[in-house]
Amino acid sequence: IVVNLSLGKGVNLPRERERLEYELNGAQEGIRRLEALLNKGSFKEKAPAEVVERQKDKLNSLIETQQKLKEILSQISPR
């Protein structure tokens, strides 16, 4: 995900920060949910390998999204 923000007249920074924080919270909740699922031994034993791999891929994607959102928020937060 690459986000470029023009900090001109059209950007409401408090609203943008709020939106990004909402997305970050969603990513963090998804990470917690998938980590709990993947840490269940019964899930890994019973689910087909491709399902487990798909969930691991989703987890990695969410972790990457979380890192990028944190980076963006650090750049637009008031100093």
Side-chain angles (χ1 to χ4, degrees):
I1 298 173
V2 175
V3 178
N4 292 316
L5 292 177
S6 170
L7 299 179
K9 297 177 185 177
V11 175
N12 181 332
L13 282 180
R15 179 174 275 155
E16 184 64 14
R17 192 174 304 112
E18 185 178 308
R19 183 188 70 77
L20 291 168
E21 287 171 351
Y22 179 81
E23 286 186 35
L24 178 60
N25 288 335
Q28 290 171 331
E29 178 58 33
I31 290 168
R32 282 190 291 275
R33 183 178 45 76
L34 286 170
E35 284 177 338
L37 180 65
L38 290 168
N39 287 328
K40 284 186 183 177
S42 61
F43 173 73
K44 287 192 252 183
E45 291 171 8
K46 295 178 183 178
E50 60 271 5
V51 172
V52 174
E53 280 306 308
R54 223 179 0 236
Q55 297 306 310
K56 287 180 180 180
D57 290 344
K58 285 181 186 179
L59 176 60
N60 290 332
S61 177
L62 284 172
I63 290 170
E64 185 177 314
T65 298
Q66 174 188 245
Q67 292 169 338
K68 290 179 182 181
L69 288 168
K70 284 182 175 181
E71 182 180 328
I72 293 166
L73 280 165
S74 74
Q75 292 174 2
I76 65 170
S77 292
R79 302 208 190 291

